[in-house]
Amino acid sequence: MPRAKPAPGDPVPAETPPPAAAKPTPRAAKPRRARAMTLAEVRGFLQALAQANPAPQSELDYTDPYTLLVAVVLSAQATDASVNRATRTLFQEAATPDAMVRIGADGVARHIRSIGLWQGKARNVVALSQALLDQHGGAVPADREALEKLPGVGRKTANVVLNVAFGEATMAVDTHVFRLGNRTGIAPGATPRAVEDGLVRRVPRDLLRDAHHWLILHGRYVCKARRPECWRCVAATWCRYPDKTPAPTGKAGIPDPAPPADPSSPPELGSTG
Ligand code: SF4
């Protein structure tokens, strides 16, 4: 129906205000990416870590290649400390493939229930032990292809075993190594494999074997995911991360609140020894 014309003297309707212009939402600052280190910077960075820790070691408890292999399989998405608590009693009961097969998945599960994904891991530990007995005379093969065929063993686990048990200069990329590869500029890459290949290509041969440990330990204790502790980092001179964390200035030494997670934080790859 057509609207009636206002008669003279009718109150003037208030003017409808134009819709308020939408307030621009403040955009989060675009994360800055580290440029790739030069080869001289790569060497300087690793030499600084080497000076602080000349003989880096795995933090997983093991006594031989077999117990190392089992510990690394158990360490996917679990801390080394939690794995060590579980294997302390597991290895007392079964420290060989033969004994592990005898206690079976239920026997393994009794010891490892406190760590993530324990059901699948218990099955894999028994299955890989059986495969070692059937195909390798009960020994752990020093060969990537054979290792990767074992149940529960992927490239990362094979790299740790080849490096730690057999002294090969391999580079296992776990969550820490992936983060450092990108954050510091030592070997930027979009995937764990790209970071691994970058590190193998760029790290000097004489430093490559231990680089695996230096990077993991540095990521675990100093160059942490949410707040890298750059102010106490021995390798800061060489690191290309553009937004280094200043020393805490909060009251009574309480650090300022943590900034948002670093954009170069990786997908959850799990830790390794
Ligand atoms: S702690 Fe900071 S300075 Fe050290 S490597 Fe990590 S980002 Fe670089």
Side-chain angles (χ1 to χ4, degrees), residues 76-98:
Q77 296 184 33
T79 63
D80 285 2
S82 71
V83 172
N84 290 340
R85 276 194 298 277
T87 55
R88 200 166 300 138
T89 57
L90 174 64
F91 293 156
Q92 272 169 15
E93 192 178 350
T96 63
D98 193 45

Side-chain angles (χ1 to χ4, degrees), residues 31-154:
R32 296 191 293 164
R33 301 228 167 249
R35 71 152 168 82
M37 286 185 200
T38 64
L39 296 186
E41 287 165 344
V42 171
R43 180 175 275 286
F45 183 88
L46 290 170
Q47 279 175 335
L49 297 182
Q51 236 175 1
N53 184 6
Q57 301 286 328
S58 167
E59 292 190 329
L60 286 171
D61 293 339
Y62 66 95
T63 52
D64 55 19
Y66 174 70
T67 48
L68 173 69
L69 174 61
V70 171
V72 179
V73 167
L74 295 179
S75 73
Q77 296 184 33
T79 63
D80 285 2
S82 71
V83 172
N84 290 340
R85 276 194 298 277
T87 55
R88 200 166 300 138
T89 57
L90 174 64
F91 293 156
Q92 272 169 15
E93 192 178 350
T96 63
D98 193 45
M100 205 65 85
V101 169
R102 263 187 279 118
I103 67 171
D106 289 344
V108 176
R110 270 203 312 276
H111 298 279
I112 68 167
R113 276 206 178 95
S114 55
I115 59 178
L117 312 174
W118 59 273
Q119 285 154 309
K121 288 177 181 175
R123 281 194 297 273
N124 279 338
V125 166
V126 173
L128 78 82
S129 301
Q130 186 67 61
L132 291 179
L133 291 169
D134 295 344
Q135 297 156 27
H136 303 284
V140 175
D143 173 75
R144 172 188 302 287
E145 207 185 324
L147 281 167
E148 288 188 27
K149 283 190 181 145
L150 296 171
V153 178

Side-chain angles (χ1 to χ4, degrees), residues 45 183-184 218 222-223 228-230 233 236 239 241 244:
F45 183 88
R183 180 189 276 166
T184 67
H218 195 56
V222 181
C223 193
E229 296 175 4
C230 307
C233 173
C239 170
Y241 183 47
K244 294 193 177 69

